[in-house]
Amino acid sequence: MTATPISGFTGDANPYGGGDPYADYRTADFPFTRYANLADRRLGAGVIAANDEFFAMRENLLLPNDAEFDPEHFGHKGKVMDGWETRRRRGVSGEHPWPTEDDHDWALVRLGAPGVVHGIVVDTAHFRGNYPQAVSVEGTSVEGSPTPAELLADDVKWTTLVPRTPVGGHAANGFAVDVPQRFTHLRVNQHPDGGVARLRVYGEVLADPAWLTALGTLDVVALEHGGQVEGASDRFYSPATNTIQPGRSRKMDDGWETRRRRDRGHDWIRYRLAAQSEIRALEIDTAYLKGNSAGWASVSVRDGESGEWVEVLPRTRLQPDTNHRFVLAAAAVGTHARVDIFPDGGISRLRLYGALTPSGAEGLAARYRELGG
């Protein structure tokens, strides 16, 4: 099985007529965006090669912000676009001036964290009459740090994630993917040419269990190690997945912040760990959350989907813009964790330090083998 378009956006968007350039932007609710973006630069993703980037650089594909549009920005090659844009393809002669059915442009994307892809968004924002007629996406799994030439070698097997599918201009073209395999790299094709503003690849990280075992003590909820946000009470200002991104937060919206509560409740995030783990220490960071950090927080762990929640850090006062460190009195074994904040506000990062249990390492290794790792 491969991809299913979530919404069919085909055809040109109207020429830009002034005002808000996103006013007529076409998009939809994509259920797979609850997963992490495996093509996030913060995880180490990169566009390592493209056959053509005459008008706009391939690296723009993975920029974290929405594409911007300046109608008066022109360079010596023409209109400067915030995306990846190739030149117009031509045929072989005046009698055959059109590109062939097989002509296409491509870009190679290294995923920041290898994993199982559940959805892809090929965003053509601001490409109104210069977007590709169709796109396709393929994936492969090659360990190490292969060069573009090695990835394009004849012996590398590519699996179709998104078959050649018509797309629309100035639209978020979303595809739900059902290919139960682990991928390290993608090949994005645009048929026959044109421009794409952004690429988002949503899925579950599946880290190499041998690497995690070799590390010993690690952050068992980290996104790059296979941790995942399973649910959150509120995602009004920023996604809960930010709390398990690599590195420290660099600005306020790089963490998780909820709306202001006007009731007697509290907010929370629930996580799935990389595998069953023994947790010995933790960090709760409120970096850049100064007048809106959580007032108090507690952390609980459970073992298995039906296990009981056990509080490992009781409700503790938090300070604004501060990294709080706690050593647990006794190691806690579990597969899931939950941070509760009181009454609202935000945290920027949660770190749970420990090691995979023998059972957790064995289960992760079995899944890794099953999905082609």
Side-chain angles (χ1 to χ4, degrees):
M1 301 179 69
T2 53
T4 302
I6 299 297
S7 292
F9 302 123
T10 56
D12 296 347
N14 291 326
Y16 175 64
D20 178 8
Y22 274 104
D24 59 341
Y25 178 67
R26 296 175 288 178
T27 188
D29 291 328
F30 302 125
F32 48 74
T33 56
R34 67 185 181 89
Y35 294 102
N37 176 19
L38 304 183
D40 194 324
R41 283 289 300 172
R42 290 174 293 181
L43 287 173
V47 186
I48 61 174
N51 72 304
D52 185 286
E53 47 186 331
F54 185 86
F55 286 113
M57 299 181 298
R58 64 183 190 261
E59 287 85 359
N60 290 336
L61 280 173
L62 305 188
L63 291 177
N65 58 294
D66 291 338
E68 298 178 354
F69 181 71
D70 181 350
E72 298 181 359
H73 191 189
F74 286 82
H76 66 278
K77 289 185 178 181
K79 181 72 184 73
V80 176
M81 296 294 290
D82 185 6
W84 167 50
E85 185 180 7
T86 66
R87 73 194 79 199
R88 299 187 188 216
R89 282 184 170 268
R90 298 297 188 228
V92 296
S93 68
E95 290 72 28
H96 299 280
W98 309 278
T100 70
E101 187 67 17
D102 294 331
D103 284 344
H104 68 279
D105 293 318
W106 54 264
L108 293 178
V109 176
R110 179 190 64 241
L111 296 180
V116 181
V117 177
H118 292 299
I120 294 174
V121 174
V122 179
D123 190 347
T124 58
H126 315 304
F127 289 93
R128 295 171 176 270
N130 51 346
Y131 58 93
Q133 182 183 35
V135 299
S136 61
V137 182
E138 303 159 280
T140 190
S141 183
V142 179
E143 294 305 315
S145 304
T147 66
E150 289 170 336
L151 288 170
L152 296 172
D154 293 339
D155 60 345
V156 174
K157 177 186 175 183
W158 290 89
T159 300
T160 298
L161 304 184
V162 178
R164 182 170 175 166
T165 305
V167 294
H170 197 44
N173 300 276
F175 305 90
V177 177
D178 184 13
V179 181
Q181 295 180 39
R182 178 182 183 269
F183 295 102
T184 62
H185 296 78
L186 301 186
R187 183 164 59 191
V188 181
N189 305 302
Q190 47 177 336
H191 308 267
D193 54 37
V196 173
R198 296 290 188 268
L199 176 74
R200 303 293 186 243
V201 182
Y202 297 98
E204 298 177 73
V205 175
L206 182 55
D208 183 346
W211 174 252
L212 299 190
T213 301
L215 290 178
T217 298
L218 66 147
D219 180 4
V220 297
V221 76
L223 182 59
E224 61 191 306
H225 296 150
Q228 185 180 143
V229 169
E230 290 195 327
S233 61
D234 186 289
R235 307 173 197 238
F236 189 82
Y237 286 113
S238 46
T241 302
N242 281 352
T243 60
I244 54 175
Q245 289 280 3
R248 294 199 70 195
S249 174
R250 297 186 177 184
K251 51 193 176 76
M252 191 175 71
D253 67 350
D254 191 23
W256 171 61
E257 182 188 359
T258 71
R259 73 191 84 194
R260 300 189 187 209
R261 276 192 173 269
R262 303 306 187 197
D263 58 20
R264 307 299 289 180
H266 74 281
D267 290 312
W268 52 267
I269 306 175
R270 187 178 69 251
Y271 304 90
R272 187 180 73 194
L273 308 184
Q276 187 190 61
S277 304
E278 184 180 79
I279 302 165
R280 297 187 291 271
L282 62 91
E283 291 182 357
I284 300 175
D285 195 353
T286 58
Y288 292 95
L289 295 161
K290 298 180 179 180
N292 49 355
S293 67
W296 292 261
S298 65
V299 177
S300 302
V301 172
R302 79 177 183 196
D303 193 22
E305 294 289 346
S306 58
E308 295 291 327
W309 288 105
V310 177
E311 190 174 71
V312 298
L313 179 72
R315 192 178 305 188
T316 302
R317 187 75 168 95
L318 300 181
Q319 298 300 319
D321 195 26
T322 301
N323 191 26
H324 309 77
R325 291 178 171 174
F326 307 93
V327 176
L328 302 185
V333 174
T335 57
H336 295 73
R338 190 185 72 226
V339 59
D340 295 271
I341 64 170
F342 304 88
D344 55 24
I347 63 173
S348 62
R349 296 290 189 269
L350 175 71
R351 306 298 190 206
L352 302 178
Y353 295 109
L356 304 186
T357 64
S359 176
E362 182 180 339
L364 182 60
R367 186 163 184 258
Y368 184 81
R369 290 190 299 268
E370 176 188 354
L371 296 174

